[in-house]
Amino acid sequence: MPQLWKGRFKKELAKETNDFNSSISFDSRMFEEDIKGSIAHATMLGATGIIDKCESDKICAELSVILDEIKSGKLSIDMDAEDIHTFIEGELTSRLGQTGKRLHTARSRNDQVALDIRMTLKNEIDEISEKLKALVLVLCDKAEEYKGAIMPGYTHLQRAQPITFGHHMMAYASMLLRDIDRLNDCKKRMNVLPLGSGALAGTTYPLDRNMVADLLGFDGVSANSLDGVSDRDFCIELASALSLVMVHLSRFSEEIIMWCSWEFKFVELDDAFSTGSSIMPQKKNPDIAELVRGKSGRVFGDLTTLLTVMKGIALAYNKDMQEDKEAIFDAVDTVKMCLNAFTPMIETMTVLTDNMRAAAAKGFINATDCADYLVGKGLPFRDAYKATGELVALCIDKGLTLETLPLEEYKAVCDLFDDEVYTAINLEKCVADRLVEGGPSTQSVEKQIKLAKQAVE
């Protein structure tokens, strides 16, 4: 298939150059967006009289046929073509002759590519957002089921204060809701039509760019033609948002990996989402979580690639920018792949509530509540903190917990203690009393679930 730019060249392109220059191996996925963009462009050309309306109608009709044939498999994309734009236009011209050659009037591949990638990524954002919403709803269901299941909360990976498994799940739901917001925000800035920018300086044809924007669902048109063809901020911004998605999935994966270990044994993954060892028959490995954790680095690398490609490019278009697609498409595909496996893994895992409750009982995680009990008796917090610290040290020496430490030992440290202390340090009460908005109490978790579901809906 001949190159669209071959007019001034006298020699055939070297095979090595063609192979190196070709992008169809990765931009062929944009065939639908390329055809829909071309239909909108041709429609506008006919409506404005730039080309004959009859020819515009023929172009649009045949492009629709080509789209249907590619989707059905009747027409295969020629992977020897330079890019998807060359293939589509070449196929159109082979069918319509001179009429097909009129499609590219008042258009450059520079603004055509910029259009196609924006359209493609808008669709990808919608798909990823739906997958994130599905995961949020799974977390809400888990939170509802285990809103009263006591577990230790951690800081520095040390047992810190009592929370519930439901509260923990809603922490990740909050992260993912922010991810959805970021993606939607990114899409707003992406939703600007670059077509009509030409190669860099627009065109002398009387284009109706706003008509094309309306046909393709864009909010407006780019304000500057140089920026219209050379902007890839939207790719970088999307890669950044996707990197944060992977940060959150990776952190969650790390906890799942720990919780599956015999040292924690807070959860057990379903057999359908675990693997074994080729030599150790007792093993049940959380490979999905480990792969998600590992693939986060891949998405971070895609972001770094885009930043590095764009950082030194003078205006307007440069061939370096062809590297944008492989990086952003890899980031998109990796995130979708991770969510496809991660969501059902979480949905089907078994939560071992007795083990979590037992771990919570051993870590002195009610020490803060013990101190607060003394504060309620009138002792300044710093004095209450010191007294409770002494009690913890005493428990460690005697192999006891705050729940099993005799009252006389309490009184020896501070005479404000009485029998009520055992009620105050009960783990269920410690959690139930944390009624502050955003806290781990049942009422608070129920509100968090309600708000999360409303945000998703």
Side-chain angles (χ1 to χ4, degrees), residues 92-106:
L92 180 71
T93 301
S94 72
R95 299 182 184 199
L96 297 184
Q98 291 297 113
T99 295
K101 293 180 180 180
R102 300 192 190 282
L103 171 62
H104 209 56
T105 306

Side-chain angles (χ1 to χ4, degrees), residues 35 56 198-199 224 377:
I35 291 173
S56 168
N224 180 282
K377 295 284 189 178

Side-chain angles (χ1 to χ4, degrees), residues 47-60:
T48 55
I50 295 173
I51 67 173
D52 186 81
K53 181 70 164 57
C54 290
E55 289 192 302
S56 168
D57 291 343
K58 288 180 182 178
I59 290 171
C60 292

Side-chain angles (χ1 to χ4, degrees), residues 375-431:
V375 171
K377 295 284 189 178
L379 198 65
F381 179 76
R382 277 298 160 210
D383 292 337
Y385 174 95
K386 181 175 180 296
T388 303
E390 292 176 13
L391 289 169
V392 169
L394 183 63
C395 286
I396 293 171
D397 288 342
K398 293 179 176 291
L400 300 172
T401 66
L402 290 173
E403 293 92 332
T404 59
L405 187 69
L407 183 59
E408 56 266 24
E409 299 282 10
Y410 275 100
K411 287 186 168 295
V413 172
C414 180
D415 59 10
L416 291 176
F417 282 111
D418 57 33
D419 284 333
E420 292 178 1
V421 68
Y422 296 108
T423 300
I425 62 172
N426 173 269
L427 292 178
E428 282 72 20
K429 186 177 188 303
C430 292
V431 170

Side-chain angles (χ1 to χ4, degrees), residues 312-332:
I313 297 180
L315 296 176
Y317 182 84
N318 295 265
K319 194 66 172 182
D320 314 44
M321 293 166 66
Q322 184 169 290
E323 292 295 299
D324 61 352
K325 295 166 203 64
E326 284 184 284
I328 192 60
F329 291 163
D330 181 70
V332 163

